Amino acid sequence: MIQIAIDGPGGAGKSTISKAIAAKLGIVYVDTGALYRTVGYYVRSKDVDPHDRDGVGALLDEIGIEVKYVDGSQRVFLNGEDLGDKIRTPEMSMYASAVSAIPSVRAFLLETQKDIARKNSVIMDGRDIGTVILPNADVKIYLTASAECRAKRRYDELIAKGQTVTYEDVLREMNERDEADSSREIAPAQAAQDAVVFDNTGMSLEESVAAIIRLIEEKTAGDDDSDENDPPKEENASGKKKAKKEPRTDSRLYRVIYALFSGIVGRFLFRIRVVGRQNEPATGGYLVCGNHTSATDAVVICYGFRKHQVRLMAKKELFKIPVLAPLIRMLGAFPVDRSGNNVSAIKTAVKLLEEGKCMGMFPQGTRHPATDPRTTPVKNGAALIATRAHADVVPVFIMRKNHTFKLFRRTYLVIGEPIPFESFGYDPDANGEYARITNIIFDRICALGEEFAKEQEAKKAAKKK
Ligand code: DC
């Protein structure tokens, strides 16, 4: 994963340059100004003064912002509506600047921004990216140009969009906005201490892009910590290679135990076969959900995921069993109280996912008869966790073959395609969302089992012939 932070005043060319770089590197471009513009748009639509902290703060509960990527370009939805260019007017620039000085607005948008960067390699532009949102970014650039040059670019842009503006107005408003953005108390627009300040006055877009790409290459040279034994690099949505390998989040102890036991214990003692390995995500922060028929399911899941440690949610009673308790704790399991008080388990789960770690759980909370998972009810915990953490869900199905001797049964772990969080279409204001999302997850789990059973049957039939 790579994080590139581009800060700077309006009109410096941040978005055009960042888009070009994102396309070249095959990473995601995040325009954070669009989020503030969206809040500004809503505030304007409600006729509230954008400087009125309490008035704006009171509106935040009504605002649902979603960022989606369609054909590689960012779209921001306000309560389900794609605002498109409606947020790109000079008036919206002023509204965005005014609301961006309000702490509750910044807090409101913080998670959305961090979350995108946790899940993707990004080039993110804004005012506080290098200082607040991505303080550990691999590359930080503060892009600027003279006020006149920036105003001329912005003026040309607006005229090209058919808006009626004068250069003088654009320059005056730009200066006002720069002053407000850089002098506000919270997250003022300024270069991070470790940012490279780049002034592109008089440079063309192509020259700026080329110069900044050189800068990024210089800064990231030697960062690629892959070696020839690594698996091939994953391709992302746009088909480009990711720039860097994902750092490991699993504990050293886990890795040692995994290395020592996974081969022998998994393959020969538990006789596990993994189907759908290609579906194991390259980046962490996902929730594994599976069906549950046996006490050894936890081992099966851990065995199946090679790239990340899957920390399992387990019933609290297990944490009272001598020897087993310290062992499962060391392996990252954490307790859940199935009788109802599971607040702390949910908190732990969300925190793990937000840190980019992976966790696993059995949404039914209890074992089901091997014949049919659908006979046991399913609880809403997985949906609750996935929506709180905005995590993708990886469905898995565990199936055991019949054998006269239980010990010799073969176990299959079928890993399904990850269900992206966005695809749930989660609406926090709608009723019954957790049950709806739970059904999506559980249906996927069951479908994996059904599809796999059919394939096995077909294979058997083909053998008989
Ligand atoms: O980049 P832009 O012109 O679309 O941003 C609009 C306003 O949003 C800008 O005047 C200040 C605010 N903003 C911010 O405070 N922090 C960011 N990360 C991005 C934008």
Side-chain angles (χ1 to χ4, degrees):
M1 297 270 269
I2 187 165
Q3 294 182 336
I4 304 172
I6 309 267
D7 288 301
K14 297 189 301 290
S15 68
T16 328
I17 291 172
S18 301
K19 264 185 217 161
I21 292 174
K24 209 168 156 64
L25 300 182
I27 60 178
V28 171
Y29 163 57
V30 190
D31 165 11
T32 61
L35 303 177
Y36 291 93
R37 286 173 180 270
T38 303
V39 174
Y41 181 89
Y42 190 76
V43 169
R44 169 79 185 78
S45 74
K46 293 284 163 186
D47 260 338
V48 169
D49 174 0
H51 300 281
D52 171 4
R53 293 187 170 206
D54 294 339
V56 172
L59 291 180
L60 295 177
D61 273 350
E62 301 169 15
I63 301 179
I65 292 190
E66 244 189 302
V67 180
K68 292 186 187 168
Y69 289 87
V70 182
D71 297 333
S73 80
Q74 172 181 308
R75 303 265 177 85
V76 182
F77 291 76
L78 167 63
N79 295 333
E81 185 195 350
D82 182 354
L83 293 178
D85 270 356
K86 287 186 207 161
I87 54 170
R88 301 282 160 207
T89 62
E91 188 188 23
M92 283 312 122
S93 300
M94 297 312 273
Y95 266 80
S97 174
V99 298
S100 73
I102 302 177
S104 60
V105 172
R106 302 204 76 84
F108 176 70
L109 296 175
L110 187 78
E111 236 345 272
T112 306
Q113 299 170 75
K114 289 197 168 211
D115 194 48
I116 301 173
R118 253 195 300 272
K119 295 182 177 157
N120 304 280
S121 281
V122 290
I123 178 162
M124 198 176 249
D125 93 31
R127 303 293 187 286
D128 61 340
I129 310 304
T131 49
V132 178
I133 306 293
L134 305 176
N136 300 318
D138 303 82
V139 184
K140 294 183 186 178
I141 294 169
Y142 192 81
L143 193 62
T144 187
S146 72
E148 292 71 23
C149 172
R150 292 187 288 115
K152 174 75 172 65
R153 288 175 187 160
R154 196 36 70 82
Y155 170 77
D156 289 344
E157 220 175 274
L158 292 169
I159 293 292
K161 280 186 187 160
Q163 300 193 17
T164 13
V165 285
T166 64
Y167 167 78
E168 287 70 29
D169 281 348
V170 174
L171 177 63
R172 184 178 40 76
E173 283 179 4
M174 184 164 267
N175 281 334
E176 275 172 32
R177 197 148 69 97
D178 285 352
E179 173 57 24
D181 292 344
S182 56
S183 64
R184 67 185 177 213
E185 280 162 34
I186 181 163
Q190 54 181 239
Q193 275 192 336
D194 47 350
V196 175
V197 178
F198 187 86
D199 187 322
N200 66 6
T201 306
M203 283 171 80
S204 70
L205 169 68
E206 292 72 28
E207 288 167 338
S208 299
V209 171
I212 291 178
I213 288 198
R214 262 200 309 279
L215 229 157
I216 293 171
E217 281 169 355
E218 273 165 29
K219 285 263 165 196
T220 54
D223 271 3
D224 188 353
D225 49 1
S226 59
D227 67 43
E228 52 190 40
N229 295 325
D230 283 338
K233 282 181 181 169
E234 297 290 322
E235 293 200 347
N236 65 16
S238 58
K240 303 271 172 64
K241 303 281 180 202
K242 283 190 175 167
K244 266 174 71 178
K245 204 175 75 173
E246 164 90 342
R248 298 198 72 109
T249 56
D250 41 5
S251 72
R252 203 165 277 177
L253 174 73
Y254 181 87
R255 246 183 284 169
V256 170
I257 297 183
Y258 189 95
L260 283 176
F261 293 107
S262 58
I264 312 160
V265 175
R267 229 181 137 72
F268 300 110
L269 188 60
F270 285 89
R271 296 174 54 85
I272 308 170
R273 295 289 180 273
V274 180
V275 180
R277 265 213 201 280
Q278 74 282 3
N279 292 327
E280 184 182 356
T283 46
Y286 57 83
L287 166 61
V288 178
C289 288
N291 63 317
H292 191 21
T293 58
S294 151
T296 56
D297 288 344
V299 180
V300 176
I301 289 185
C302 291
Y303 173 81
F305 285 77
R306 283 180 176 164
K307 295 177 190 160
H308 299 92
Q309 171 181 4
V310 180
R311 293 155 167 93
L312 284 152
M313 183 184 268
K315 60 181 174 186
K316 74 170 196 230
E317 292 76 5
L318 296 182
F319 293 80
K320 291 189 184 131
I321 303 175
V323 186
L324 181 70
L327 185 70
I328 59 175
R329 260 191 208 287
M330 278 194 295
L331 293 177
F334 58 99
V336 61
D337 179 351
R338 293 183 304 166
S339 62
N341 180 18
N342 42 32
V343 176
S344 85
I346 287 175
K347 268 194 185 162
T348 307
V350 172
K351 186 164 173 279
L352 286 173
L353 294 169
E354 286 181 344
E355 287 169 354
K357 294 173 180 158
C358 302
M359 62 141 307
M361 65 189 289
F362 305 107
Q364 287 163 301
T366 185
R367 289 183 230 167
H368 63 79
T371 42
D372 186 2
R374 293 192 197 258
T375 50
T376 306
V378 56
K379 298 178 184 174
N380 288 341
L384 192 68
I385 293 168
T387 50
R388 294 246 167 109
H390 289 199
D392 297 347
V393 173
V394 181
V396 297
F397 193 89
I398 302 171
M399 183 182 283
R400 291 184 172 78
K401 258 190 168 176
N402 285 331
H403 197 286
T404 329
F405 302 107
K406 228 178 164 187
L407 196 65
F408 296 128
R409 289 183 307 177
R410 171 151 296 167
T411 298
Y412 291 98
L413 175 75
V414 187
I415 304 180
E417 268 181 41
I419 314 173
F421 167 72
E422 290 76 18
S423 73
F424 291 128
Y426 171 56
D427 175 358
D429 298 325
N431 284 331
E433 279 295 82
Y434 295 134
R436 184 180 67 77
I437 294 171
T438 298
N439 281 338
I440 299 178
I441 299 172
F442 191 57
D443 274 348
R444 264 320 289 150
I445 295 173
C446 295
L448 280 178
E450 288 150 12
E451 286 155 19
F452 183 66
K454 264 192 209 155
E455 276 169 30
Q456 293 288 94
E457 284 301 315
K459 269 189 194 161
K460 236 194 217 168
K463 255 191 195 169
K464 272 189 189 161
K465 278 185 194 167

PDB file of all heavy atoms in Angstrom, residues 73-86:
ATOM      1  N   SER A  73     -13.271   7.000 -11.170  1.00  0.00           N
ATOM      2  CA  SER A  73     -13.369   8.400 -10.735  1.00  0.00           C
ATOM      3  C   SER A  73     -14.317   8.512  -9.533  1.00  0.00           C
ATOM      4  O   SER A  73     -15.293   7.769  -9.406  1.00  0.00           O
ATOM      5  CB  SER A  73     -13.770   9.320 -11.888  1.00  0.00           C
ATOM      6  OG  SER A  73     -15.139   9.258 -12.090  1.00  0.00           O
ATOM      7  N   GLN A  74     -13.962   9.461  -8.674  1.00  0.00           N
ATOM      8  CA  GLN A  74     -14.673   9.577  -7.391  1.00  0.00           C
ATOM      9  C   GLN A  74     -16.035  10.248  -7.563  1.00  0.00           C
ATOM     10  O   GLN A  74     -16.146  11.265  -8.222  1.00  0.00           O
ATOM     11  CB  GLN A  74     -13.798  10.396  -6.440  1.00  0.00           C
ATOM     12  CG  GLN A  74     -14.484  10.756  -5.141  1.00  0.00           C
ATOM     13  CD  GLN A  74     -13.589  11.582  -4.236  1.00  0.00           C
ATOM     14  OE1 GLN A  74     -12.461  11.232  -3.941  1.00  0.00           O
ATOM     15  NE2 GLN A  74     -14.102  12.711  -3.773  1.00  0.00           N
ATOM     16  N   ARG A  75     -17.031   9.682  -6.930  1.00  0.00           N
ATOM     17  CA  ARG A  75     -18.348  10.332  -6.884  1.00  0.00           C
ATOM     18  C   ARG A  75     -18.739  10.446  -5.417  1.00  0.00           C
ATOM     19  O   ARG A  75     -18.534   9.505  -4.657  1.00  0.00           O
ATOM     20  CB  ARG A  75     -19.421   9.488  -7.574  1.00  0.00           C
ATOM     21  CG  ARG A  75     -19.137   9.150  -9.002  1.00  0.00           C
ATOM     22  CD  ARG A  75     -19.832  10.164  -9.940  1.00  0.00           C
ATOM     23  NE  ARG A  75     -19.483   9.853 -11.306  1.00  0.00           N
ATOM     24  CZ  ARG A  75     -20.132   8.951 -12.049  1.00  0.00           C
ATOM     25  NH1 ARG A  75     -21.163   8.316 -11.532  1.00  0.00           N
ATOM     26  NH2 ARG A  75     -19.757   8.696 -13.277  1.00  0.00           N
ATOM     27  N   VAL A  76     -19.287  11.592  -5.065  1.00  0.00           N
ATOM     28  CA  VAL A  76     -19.723  11.758  -3.682  1.00  0.00           C
ATOM     29  C   VAL A  76     -21.245  11.852  -3.661  1.00  0.00           C
ATOM     30  O   VAL A  76     -21.826  12.629  -4.418  1.00  0.00           O
ATOM     31  CB  VAL A  76     -19.101  13.024  -3.060  1.00  0.00           C
ATOM     32  CG1 VAL A  76     -19.527  13.164  -1.610  1.00  0.00           C
ATOM     33  CG2 VAL A  76     -17.584  12.957  -3.145  1.00  0.00           C
ATOM     34  N   PHE A  77     -21.838  11.026  -2.824  1.00  0.00           N
ATOM     35  CA  PHE A  77     -23.297  10.987  -2.738  1.00  0.00           C
ATOM     36  C   PHE A  77     -23.749  11.636  -1.432  1.00  0.00           C
ATOM     37  O   PHE A  77     -23.229  11.320  -0.364  1.00  0.00           O
ATOM     38  CB  PHE A  77     -23.810   9.549  -2.782  1.00  0.00           C
ATOM     39  CG  PHE A  77     -23.613   8.907  -4.134  1.00  0.00           C
ATOM     40  CD1 PHE A  77     -22.357   8.462  -4.536  1.00  0.00           C
ATOM     41  CD2 PHE A  77     -24.680   8.757  -5.004  1.00  0.00           C
ATOM     42  CE1 PHE A  77     -22.169   7.887  -5.783  1.00  0.00           C
ATOM     43  CE2 PHE A  77     -24.495   8.178  -6.250  1.00  0.00           C
ATOM     44  CZ  PHE A  77     -23.249   7.739  -6.648  1.00  0.00           C
ATOM     45  N   LEU A  78     -24.700  12.534  -1.564  1.00  0.00           N
ATOM     46  CA  LEU A  78     -25.281  13.172  -0.379  1.00  0.00           C
ATOM     47  C   LEU A  78     -26.663  12.564  -0.196  1.00  0.00           C
ATOM     48  O   LEU A  78     -27.541  12.747  -1.053  1.00  0.00           O
ATOM     49  CB  LEU A  78     -25.382  14.688  -0.598  1.00  0.00           C
ATOM     50  CG  LEU A  78     -26.234  15.456   0.403  1.00  0.00           C
ATOM     51  CD1 LEU A  78     -25.670  15.359   1.810  1.00  0.00           C
ATOM     52  CD2 LEU A  78     -26.350  16.920  -0.005  1.00  0.00           C
ATOM     53  N   ASN A  79     -26.831  11.840   0.891  1.00  0.00           N
ATOM     54  CA  ASN A  79     -28.094  11.128   1.151  1.00  0.00           C
ATOM     55  C   ASN A  79     -28.599  10.427  -0.107  1.00  0.00           C
ATOM     56  O   ASN A  79     -29.758  10.545  -0.504  1.00  0.00           O
ATOM     57  CB  ASN A  79     -29.150  12.105   1.686  1.00  0.00           C
ATOM     58  CG  ASN A  79     -28.729  12.653   3.046  1.00  0.00           C
ATOM     59  OD1 ASN A  79     -27.998  12.000   3.788  1.00  0.00           O
ATOM     60  ND2 ASN A  79     -29.161  13.853   3.365  1.00  0.00           N
ATOM     61  N   GLY A  80     -27.678   9.756  -0.772  1.00  0.00           N
ATOM     62  CA  GLY A  80     -28.049   8.948  -1.935  1.00  0.00           C
ATOM     63  C   GLY A  80     -28.002   9.691  -3.262  1.00  0.00           C
ATOM     64  O   GLY A  80     -28.092   9.077  -4.314  1.00  0.00           O
ATOM     65  N   GLU A  81     -27.847  11.024  -3.227  1.00  0.00           N
ATOM     66  CA  GLU A  81     -27.856  11.768  -4.501  1.00  0.00           C
ATOM     67  C   GLU A  81     -26.426  12.108  -4.932  1.00  0.00           C
ATOM     68  O   GLU A  81     -25.619  12.623  -4.149  1.00  0.00           O
ATOM     69  CB  GLU A  81     -28.648  13.083  -4.327  1.00  0.00           C
ATOM     70  CG  GLU A  81     -28.798  13.845  -5.637  1.00  0.00           C
ATOM     71  CD  GLU A  81     -29.254  15.312  -5.454  1.00  0.00           C
ATOM     72  OE1 GLU A  81     -29.636  15.676  -4.325  1.00  0.00           O
ATOM     73  OE2 GLU A  81     -29.207  16.065  -6.435  1.00  0.00           O
ATOM     74  N   ASP A  82     -26.124  11.802  -6.196  1.00  0.00           N
ATOM     75  CA  ASP A  82     -24.812  12.147  -6.761  1.00  0.00           C
ATOM     76  C   ASP A  82     -24.859  13.628  -7.130  1.00  0.00           C
ATOM     77  O   ASP A  82     -25.588  14.024  -8.043  1.00  0.00           O
ATOM     78  CB  ASP A  82     -24.574  11.287  -8.008  1.00  0.00           C
ATOM     79  CG  ASP A  82     -23.201  11.553  -8.626  1.00  0.00           C
ATOM     80  OD1 ASP A  82     -22.511  12.473  -8.151  1.00  0.00           O
ATOM     81  OD2 ASP A  82     -22.841  10.838  -9.575  1.00  0.00           O
ATOM     82  N   LEU A  83     -24.065  14.453  -6.428  1.00  0.00           N
ATOM     83  CA  LEU A  83     -24.191  15.903  -6.632  1.00  0.00           C
ATOM     84  C   LEU A  83     -23.465  16.401  -7.882  1.00  0.00           C
ATOM     85  O   LEU A  83     -23.701  17.518  -8.339  1.00  0.00           O
ATOM     86  CB  LEU A  83     -23.679  16.646  -5.404  1.00  0.00           C
ATOM     87  CG  LEU A  83     -24.511  16.455  -4.135  1.00  0.00           C
ATOM     88  CD1 LEU A  83     -23.881  17.209  -2.976  1.00  0.00           C
ATOM     89  CD2 LEU A  83     -25.941  16.924  -4.337  1.00  0.00           C
ATOM     90  N   GLY A  84     -22.576  15.595  -8.398  1.00  0.00           N
ATOM     91  CA  GLY A  84     -21.867  15.981  -9.625  1.00  0.00           C
ATOM     92  C   GLY A  84     -21.227  17.347  -9.499  1.00  0.00           C
ATOM     93  O   GLY A  84     -20.590  17.675  -8.479  1.00  0.00           O
ATOM     94  N   ASP A  85     -21.440  18.203 -10.502  1.00  0.00           N
ATOM     95  CA  ASP A  85     -20.778  19.509 -10.550  1.00  0.00           C
ATOM     96  C   ASP A  85     -21.478  20.580  -9.713  1.00  0.00           C
ATOM     97  O   ASP A  85     -21.016  21.709  -9.659  1.00  0.00           O
ATOM     98  CB  ASP A  85     -20.681  19.977 -12.009  1.00  0.00           C
ATOM     99  CG  ASP A  85     -19.378  19.500 -12.629  1.00  0.00           C
ATOM    100  OD1 ASP A  85     -18.563  18.887 -11.890  1.00  0.00           O
ATOM    101  OD2 ASP A  85     -19.168  19.725 -13.830  1.00  0.00           O
ATOM    102  N   LYS A  86     -22.583  20.184  -9.050  1.00  0.00           N
ATOM    103  CA  LYS A  86     -23.301  21.189  -8.256  1.00  0.00           C
ATOM    104  C   LYS A  86     -22.430  21.712  -7.111  1.00  0.00           C
ATOM    105  O   LYS A  86     -22.680  22.784  -6.583  1.00  0.00           O
ATOM    106  CB  LYS A  86     -24.579  20.576  -7.653  1.00  0.00           C
ATOM    107  CG  LYS A  86     -25.679  20.342  -8.664  1.00  0.00           C
ATOM    108  CD  LYS A  86     -26.919  19.883  -7.913  1.00  0.00           C
ATOM    109  CE  LYS A  86     -27.795  19.035  -8.781  1.00  0.00           C
ATOM    110  NZ  LYS A  86     -28.743  18.229  -8.032  1.00  0.00           N
TER     111      LYS A  86
END
